[in-house]
Amino acid sequence: MSTLGTVLRPMYDGDLDAVMEVELRAYPFPWTRGIFQDCLRADYPSRVLVQDDGIVGYGVLSLAADEAHVLNVCVDPLCQSRGHGRRLLRELVRVARQRGALRVFLEVRPSNASAIALYHSEGFNEIGRRPRYYPTSNGREDALVMAMELVDDDISVMPPL
């Protein structure tokens, strides 16, 4: 599990060809280029993970009021199980915390056991379900809704009793 030799940086319009290549390899029902363009236009924090001058993963986050929503975290199937997804997720959570979010939400397919394990290991908990959320080849699949509370780890700022 090594992310050595990778660079995490903001996503730009010029990255979208490479991002779409990864998206199309990773998902049977991928986002469209237009969705990524809309996220960039809306100034959603979006990151790419670059290795050897190629994009191996990316993440997109939305922020509103004191909540953040992980919209997409994806690692090229050829580069999975190397810690890239964890690195992207931690970056999105870091950005959410930095921008004042108190909690972070995400949805995940119940059939995506490796993603669920990653999210649990990073502190996300299941809080609900969205019925028939994701398309499948033979209908729809529910989404698990997961959340993480972003609490201030510095309890020394609490007033004395």
Side-chain angles (χ1 to χ4, degrees), residues 43-60:
D43 204 26
Y44 288 176
S46 305
R47 301 291 187 265
V48 292
L49 192 58
V50 181
Q51 183 174 14
D52 300 327
D53 296 323
I55 290 175
V56 298
Y58 47 86
V60 180

Side-chain angles (χ1 to χ4, degrees), residues 27-84:
Y27 297 122
F29 299 93
W31 274 17
T32 64
R33 183 185 192 93
I35 293 171
F36 284 103
Q37 288 171 324
D38 289 346
C39 290
L40 291 175
R41 261 190 235 110
D43 204 26
Y44 288 176
S46 305
R47 301 291 187 265
V48 292
L49 192 58
V50 181
Q51 183 174 14
D52 300 327
D53 296 323
I55 290 175
V56 298
Y58 47 86
V60 180
L61 182 75
S62 71
L63 291 154
D66 60 357
E67 295 181 351
H69 196 133
V70 174
L71 301 177
N72 195 335
V73 172
C74 181
V75 174
D76 190 316
L78 302 172
C79 300
Q80 291 178 357
S81 299
R82 300 179 194 170
H84 298 316

Side-chain angles (χ1 to χ4, degrees), residues 95-160:
V95 170
R97 187 184 306 275
Q98 177 187 28
R99 299 209 185 164
L102 300 178
R103 67 198 54 78
V104 181
F105 296 93
L106 58 81
E107 288 86 19
V108 62
R109 290 176 184 266
S111 60
N112 192 343
S114 60
I116 293 167
L118 168 65
Y119 300 144
H120 277 301
S121 73
E122 289 295 314
F124 282 84
N125 296 297
E126 294 173 31
I127 61 164
R129 235 176 221 268
R130 296 191 197 284
R132 303 176 41 77
Y133 186 80
Y134 290 110
T136 67
S137 57
N138 59 355
R140 308 286 295 181
E141 180 178 8
D142 290 355
L144 294 179
V145 181
M146 301 184 80
M148 170 195 279
E149 298 294 322
L150 300 179
V151 295
D152 190 345
D153 292 332
D154 184 6
I155 60 169
S156 65
V157 298
M158 295 190 59

